[in-house]
């Protein structure tokens, strides 16, 4: 079922929409996806995210976003979408032969 | 960008991912049977957490001290949280949370039969933490490496929190065992009632477990029911000795040849009977769950209507149309 089908079905049945939850574990770290929940609106989604995903100080900051608003790439790893970076080994430092005697490199 | 692949290629990619011990993620192609098995297992697991609030919730208002009440409240809240982590994982498979709740209430999906036993004394709270949550941990630690990513990640969160559950239970019992003769007897009586149902939590013996083989091939499960049951028995015996209680099994003894404990056979006819819905508390559990769902309907509807109204008001003031 696509995201849009799910959104339409929720609206017909009066179900609260699905939100994705992202937590910043502590200062200096990125927000990381931890799961999803259902809430009537944005503020409720934040409060529910606090109750469900941070009962033990797991986060100092929470993002919630309606799942329907996530834009995602196609899932298969061999997808040609990622091909442009596949054949460019010269982007990696190990591509270059440098004598061991060269210091600080 | 659309890249239509032959079903055989998709199946091969799935098989290679499993064989390489990589995780399957929600938008990957997967066989229908894999998806169905996971939805069944994750939903059943989620329902168990939600129904699992009731046996202990029964004692919240009668906890013997404020300390015990705060601990028990935190534990019951955790069970709710675990249910929600798991419903979240089930939704990534295309299941709908509302549908799952309906199926639970209508008896079309199961939950762990352990929660159909009543909690008769406060010692039951301790024994549930020690043995029931202990058995759950045995089951759940290998599931942290389950092949479906969202399920494995949910189980990692659950297992971290489950450790508190087991330890508070053991500490509660250890405290009671330092009390009066009557309190010690209450602990032993609770252990006697819960030991066999705890062993049944691992499911039927391997030769009667229809789903195990395929689930292990798919790496949804990592160990058989009997392997996990043996592990639990071996873990629990030294803990019981420290606590000063015994298990109600005359066949329980160390087997040096196997390097493991031998133990008796649970009463599988009782297990099947409880699974079929004839447990002492089966009807009560579902009745309570249905009442909570029905009584909460107006709150869900009101919150939804309020959110819709706020959205419309917001769109009008900002001139947006959405």
């Amino acid at each position: 079922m696509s995201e849009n089908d799910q959104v339409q079905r929720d609206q017909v049945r009066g179900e609260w929409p699905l939100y994705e939850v992202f937590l910043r574990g502590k200062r200096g770290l990125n927000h990381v996806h931890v799961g999803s929940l259902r809430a009537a609106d944005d503020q409720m989604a934040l409060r529910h995210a606090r109750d469900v995903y941070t009962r033990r100080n797991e986060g100092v900051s929470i993002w919630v976003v309606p799942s329907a608003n996530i834009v995602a790439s196609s899932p298969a790893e061999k997808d040609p979408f990622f091909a442009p970076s596949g054949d460019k080994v010269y982007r990696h430092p190990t591509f270059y032969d440098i004598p061991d005697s060269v210091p600080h490199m | 960008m659309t890249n239509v692949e032959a079903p055989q290629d998709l199946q091969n990619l799935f098989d290679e991912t499993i064989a390489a011990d990589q995780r399957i993620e929600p938008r990957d192609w997967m066989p229908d049977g894999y998806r169905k098995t996971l939805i069944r297992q994750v939903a059943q697991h989620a329902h168990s957490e939600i129904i699992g609030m009731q046996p202990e919730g029964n004692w919240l208002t009668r906890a013997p001290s404020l300390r015990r009440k705060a601990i028990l409240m935190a534990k019951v809240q955790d069970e709710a949280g675990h249910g929600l982590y798991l419903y979240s994982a089930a939704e990534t498979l295309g299941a709908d949370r509302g549908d799952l709740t309906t199926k639970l209430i209508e008896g079309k999906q199961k939950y762990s039969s352990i929660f159909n036993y009543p909690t008769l004394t406060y010692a039951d709270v301790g024994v549930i933490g020690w043995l029931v949550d202990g058995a759950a941990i045995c089951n759940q630690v290998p599931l942290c490496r389950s092949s479906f990513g969202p399920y494995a990640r949910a189980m990692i969160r659950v297992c971290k929190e489950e450790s508190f559950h087991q330890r508070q239970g053991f500490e509660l019992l250890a405290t009671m065992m330092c009390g009066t003769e009557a309190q010690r007897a209450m602990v032993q009586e609770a252990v006697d009632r819960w030991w066999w149902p705890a062993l049944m939590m691992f499911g039927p013996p391997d030769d009667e477990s229809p789903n195990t083989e395929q689930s292990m091939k798919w790496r949804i499960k990592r160990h058989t029911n009997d392997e996990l049951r043996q592990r639990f028995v071996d873990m629990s015996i030294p803990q019981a000795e420290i606590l000063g209680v015994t298990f109600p099994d005359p066949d329980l003894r160390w087997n040096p040849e196997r390097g493991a404990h031998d133990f008796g056979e649970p009463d599988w006819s009782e297990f099947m009977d409880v699974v079929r819905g004839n447990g002492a508390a089966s009807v009560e559990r579902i009745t309570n769950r249905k009442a909570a769902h029905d009584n909460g309907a107006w709150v869900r509807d009101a919150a939804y209507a309020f959110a819709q109204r706020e959205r419309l008001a917001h769109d009008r003031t900002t001139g947006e149309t959405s």
Side-chain angles (χ1 to χ4, degrees):
Chain A
M1 182 167 40
S2 82
E3 275 80 7
N4 278 336
D5 292 345
Q6 179 70 54
V7 168
Q8 277 180 3
R9 203 160 72 133
D10 289 345
Q11 279 173 352
V12 169
R13 304 198 314 181
E15 290 262 7
W16 294 352
L18 193 64
Y19 282 81
E20 300 299 322
V21 180
F22 301 80
L23 283 187
R24 184 197 297 287
K26 58 180 181 182
R27 289 178 179 279
L29 298 181
N30 289 317
H31 285 76
V32 175
H33 182 246
V34 290
S36 67
L37 49 76
R38 289 195 173 257
D41 58 32
D42 298 352
Q43 288 307 312
M44 187 193 276
L46 269 182
R47 277 197 296 273
H48 283 184
R50 177 200 62 191
D51 292 345
V52 176
Y53 290 103
T54 66
R55 288 193 303 284
R56 289 177 178 77
N57 306 317
E58 291 97 333
V60 296
S61 164
I62 303 175
W63 291 347
V64 290
V65 56
S67 306
N69 288 356
I70 301 260
V71 181
S73 64
S74 167
E77 256 181 77
K78 59 178 180 178
D79 194 309
F81 189 64
F82 293 104
S85 81
D87 58 354
K88 295 178 180 61
V89 284
Y90 46 86
R91 283 180 174 169
H92 297 275
T94 47
F95 180 72
Y96 302 94
D97 283 329
I98 306 281
D100 288 346
S101 55
V102 178
H104 309 304
M105 195 175 282
Chain B
M1 269 282 294
T2 43
N3 183 16
V4 181
E5 288 168 284
Q8 192 53 48
D9 288 349
L10 293 168
Q11 178 75 51
N12 289 345
L13 183 65
F14 174 85
D15 292 342
E16 284 162 19
T17 307
I18 298 280
D21 224 355
Q22 297 258 320
R23 299 289 180 266
I24 303 297
E25 294 296 343
R27 283 156 52 87
D28 290 340
W29 181 90
M30 60 188 87
D32 286 344
Y34 180 83
R35 187 184 298 276
K36 268 189 210 145
T37 300
L38 268 168
I39 290 177
R40 182 180 54 80
Q41 180 170 337
V42 176
Q44 180 169 332
H45 198 159
H47 298 331
S48 299
E49 302 283 356
I50 296 298
I51 295 291
M53 289 192 280
Q54 292 185 39
E56 292 175 286
N58 178 41
W59 285 95
L60 272 175
T61 56
R62 289 166 291 157
S65 68
L66 188 56
R67 178 176 182 272
R68 292 291 169 197
K69 182 179 275 196
I71 292 169
L72 189 55
M73 183 78 88
K75 181 173 188 290
V76 172
Q77 283 175 328
D78 273 355
E79 308 297 0
H82 296 176
L84 295 176
Y85 302 157
L86 288 157
Y87 284 129
S88 162
E91 284 200 294
T92 68
L93 290 158
D96 177 89
R97 211 174 289 219
D99 283 345
L100 297 180
T101 300
T102 306
K103 283 180 180 150
L104 168 65
I105 288 171
E106 291 177 353
K108 288 178 184 151
Q109 283 181 337
K110 305 230 173 273
Y111 55 90
S112 177
S113 55
I114 192 80
F115 301 117
N116 287 328
Y117 291 85
T119 40
L120 303 180
T121 71
Y122 205 77
D124 287 25
V125 172
V127 173
I128 286 177
W130 173 41
L131 291 180
V132 174
D133 292 323
I137 290 171
C138 261
N139 256 330
Q140 290 169 355
V141 166
L143 291 175
C144 295
R145 294 186 300 123
S146 181
S147 62
F148 186 59
Y151 189 33
R153 293 192 286 273
M155 292 321 301
I156 290 171
R157 300 183 72 85
V158 168
C159 283
K160 275 187 193 161
E161 299 179 355
E162 209 67 58
S163 172
F164 139 64
H165 296 182
Q166 193 188 21
R167 291 172 67 104
Q168 67 82 32
F170 191 87
E171 189 232 38
L172 190 165
L173 297 176
T175 307
M176 285 185 81
M177 291 303 285
C178 296
T180 64
E181 193 53 48
Q183 285 172 318
R184 280 193 291 276
M186 191 185 277
V187 172
Q188 182 61 58
E189 189 273 334
V191 170
D192 289 345
R193 268 186 295 114
W194 287 96
W195 174 247
W196 290 111
L199 289 191
M200 294 178 199
M201 284 175 68
F202 297 93
D206 291 348
D207 49 10
E208 289 164 40
S209 173
N211 303 315
T212 293
E213 194 188 345
Q214 182 61 66
S215 285
M216 288 188 58
K217 272 190 195 143
W218 277 330
R219 301 200 183 173
I220 296 171
K221 277 175 81 161
R222 296 281 179 161
H223 304 282
T224 70
N225 298 350
D226 286 334
E227 284 168 11
L228 292 168
R229 191 165 12 248
Q230 178 72 56
R231 188 180 293 180
F232 174 68
V233 169
D234 291 333
M235 266 175 36
S236 301
I237 286 168
Q239 295 170 352
E241 280 166 12
I242 291 169
L243 211 49
V245 297
T246 57
F247 293 130
D249 180 357
D251 298 324
L252 195 61
R253 64 180 61 84
W254 176 250
N255 181 332
E257 280 170 35
R258 289 202 307 126
H261 291 86
D262 291 338
F263 56 98
E265 197 67 32
D267 180 355
W268 293 113
S269 62
E270 175 187 315
F271 174 76
M272 290 314 298
D273 205 36
V274 177
V275 167
R276 275 192 294 267
N278 298 323
S282 303
V283 173
E284 182 189 334
R285 300 293 184 239
I286 290 297
T287 306
N288 286 344
R289 181 67 193 88
K290 184 173 186 311
H293 189 66
D294 293 347
N295 295 337
W298 73 268
V299 179
R300 293 192 299 276
D301 292 345
Y304 185 79
F306 178 75
Q308 295 289 86
R309 200 190 68 182
E310 292 291 292
R311 211 164 284 143
L312 283 176
H314 177 263
D315 290 351
R316 257 197 304 276
T317 50
T318 58
E320 282 174 28
T321 49
S322 61

